[in-house]
Amino acid sequence: MSGNDSNKMTTNIENASGEWVDGISGSPSTNGKDAKKGPVVLTVNQVTKTIGKKHIVDKLSFDIHRGEIVGLLGPNGAGKTTTIRMIVGLIDMSQGDVLVKGHSIKSDFVQAVRHIGGIIENPEFYPYMSGYDNLRQYQRMSEGVTITRIMEVVKLVGLQDAIHKKVRAYSLGMRQRLGIAQALLHNPSILILDEPTNGLDPAGIREMRDYLKQIARDEGIAILVSSHLLSEMELMCSRVVVIQEGKFVTERSIGGTVANEELTTVSLRVNDTAMAEQTAQHLKDIILINSSEEEGMITLQLHEEDIPTLIQSLCDARVRIYRVEEMKSSLEEEFLKWTGGNRIA
């Protein structure tokens, strides 16, 4: 965390009626709509934070699209929290800009920040008031938030049975969900969460993950989340952005293929590993990784488009195939490879 970080706070700003700018000039990777993604909601463009002579964040760029959950990963001191604080306007950036639905955080702050809902560290509430009264308190400070909308977000985060209880009786997970409800009241376009599962037990973590995925799906809200739980990020996010020493390292679509990986690793369970191995060796550009006659398994590397040819050749050789499985590295393994073994934080 940067030395310029302020006290714990929740960022919730009322929704804008400003016009959506379709296509963002100067976006580092995509503009407007992508063939497989919705419109760009957030663009971080060459953002830099310098303290003295040290670059805390150095020319960082990435986009986030409507309805996707993006994880921000990095080792301890990588600049994750500093990046999030610059995005929501809590600290100034030295260079670059952040665009939220086409509005610049630097030159059009009010319009830009109206599209953002967020929790930076832990949400804070009046403990002697009920969850409902806390949301009503926020409603009084915001335009356009109705009682109907309050009940919509309460249902969305699963607090219907506890919303009239005093917050002092809430578990940590319930407080986190109440914080997300407050952040959603003004219909933001993007939800930004710094360590939303911090301190939660396994059941609370799973609940939080399910609610965030539901929010992204049902509300069409983009979500940017930072966390140190790599396994949880792999289950929650559709994409991760990895930074180290304030610089962009890589990004990966979860569940998809990595752009720079040319070969796919597959494991096959067959009735005759010797014949399968012999057949594979006669095919072009197929690498034998491992073969176990006892387990009836053979592991190969090949181009994805060559998999049907391999299957057909094995069938022609009368090799029975019981299972074909793609072997993928876990996000933890990939992260350690990307960052040279540095620990997440």
Side-chain angles (χ1 to χ4, degrees):
M1 188 177 295
S2 167
N4 281 22
D5 290 346
S6 57
N7 294 329
K8 297 176 182 178
M9 57 192 304
T10 304
T11 302
N12 302 97
I13 322 291
E14 59 193 285
N15 188 33
S17 57
E19 185 178 290
W20 159 244
V21 179
D22 189 13
I24 300 177
S25 60
S27 169
S29 57
T30 56
N31 284 327
K33 291 185 178 180
D34 184 270
K36 296 182 180 180
K37 300 176 181 177
V40 173
V41 174
L42 174 76
T43 294
V44 176
N45 191 3
Q46 298 290 300
V47 167
T48 300
K49 179 63 176 178
T50 304
I51 299 178
K53 295 183 178 181
K54 182 175 176 59
H55 293 307
I56 307 300
V57 177
D58 191 5
K59 297 181 180 178
L60 182 62
S61 296
F62 60 88
D63 288 340
I64 299 180
H65 300 255
R66 182 180 186 273
E68 70 171 343
I69 304 177
V70 175
L72 184 63
L73 300 181
N76 189 21
K80 302 185 299 295
T81 298
T82 300
T83 298
I84 287 177
R85 288 179 175 273
M86 286 191 289
I87 290 173
V88 301
L90 291 179
I91 59 175
D92 293 332
M93 61 194 82
S94 303
Q95 296 178 26
D97 202 357
V98 172
L99 303 179
V100 187
K101 295 198 77 171
H103 300 285
S104 166
I105 283 287
K106 292 176 74 173
S107 62
D108 194 9
F109 177 79
V110 174
Q111 288 298 321
V113 82
R114 282 178 175 173
H115 292 284
I116 298 174
I119 302 175
I120 312 302
E121 297 187 14
N122 297 323
E124 299 290 348
F125 297 100
Y126 297 109
Y128 56 87
M129 293 169 58
S130 69
Y132 179 78
D133 287 337
N134 270 278
L135 295 181
R136 285 296 306 272
Q137 180 70 8
Y138 174 73
Q139 179 197 24
R140 296 183 187 100
M141 299 184 291
S142 308
E143 295 180 4
V145 176
T146 64
I147 298 296
T148 300
R149 178 58 183 171
I150 291 176
M151 299 316 297
E152 283 177 358
V153 297
V154 166
K155 182 178 180 180
L156 191 61
V157 299
L159 283 177
Q160 306 97 304
D161 296 335
I163 195 62
H164 293 293
K165 295 180 180 178
K166 287 184 168 49
V167 170
R168 69 163 63 98
Y170 280 19
S171 66
L172 179 58
M174 293 167 67
R175 291 186 186 213
Q176 291 282 53
R177 281 188 275 155
L178 184 62
I180 290 174
Q182 181 176 321
L184 291 172
L185 279 178
H186 60 289
N187 289 294
S189 300
I190 183 166
L191 187 62
I192 298 176
L193 307 173
D194 188 16
E195 301 282 359
T197 59
N198 194 25
L200 300 183
D201 60 21
I205 290 173
R206 180 170 183 174
E207 282 186 350
M208 180 64 65
R209 178 217 312 159
D210 291 343
Y211 285 125
L212 291 179
K213 292 172 77 170
Q214 181 181 348
I215 288 165
R217 181 181 65 249
D218 295 350
E219 298 275 302
I221 294 174
I223 300 176
L224 174 64
V225 53
S226 93
S227 175
H228 67 283
L229 298 174
L230 288 172
S231 58
E232 187 55 37
M233 295 288 268
E234 192 166 18
L235 291 171
M236 182 191 303
C237 300
S238 53
R239 183 161 56 94
V240 293
V241 173
V242 181
I243 65 174
Q244 186 173 21
E245 295 179 351
K247 297 180 180 179
F248 176 89
V249 175
T250 188
E251 67 176 278
R252 168 183 168 179
S253 294
I254 303 297
T257 57
V258 183
N260 60 1
E261 287 187 356
E262 296 182 356
L263 297 178
T264 300
T265 302
V266 294
S267 180
L268 299 94
R269 183 169 177 267
V270 297
N271 69 323
D272 189 342
T273 55
M275 179 57 71
E277 183 177 339
Q278 181 180 340
T279 303
Q281 288 175 341
H282 285 87
L283 298 176
K284 185 180 179 182
D285 295 332
I286 294 183
I287 302 171
L288 176 65
I289 302 298
N290 186 44
S291 179
S292 173
E293 186 175 352
E294 291 182 358
E295 297 178 358
M297 301 292 293
I298 182 170
T299 304
L300 306 164
Q301 272 192 342
L302 70 167
H303 294 284
E304 187 174 31
E305 58 268 24
D306 292 334
I307 293 177
T309 302
L310 171 65
I311 300 299
Q312 185 62 56
S313 297
L314 291 174
C315 291
D316 291 343
R318 299 190 180 279
V319 176
R320 293 184 178 180
I321 304 170
Y322 302 113
R323 185 175 68 194
V324 180
E325 181 180 2
E326 182 180 3
M327 308 297 290
K328 289 186 176 182
S329 300
S330 68
L331 182 58
E332 180 178 11
E333 292 169 332
E334 293 289 339
F335 177 84
L336 294 175
K337 181 175 68 176
W338 292 328
T339 60
N342 285 326
R343 295 175 61 190
I344 193 75

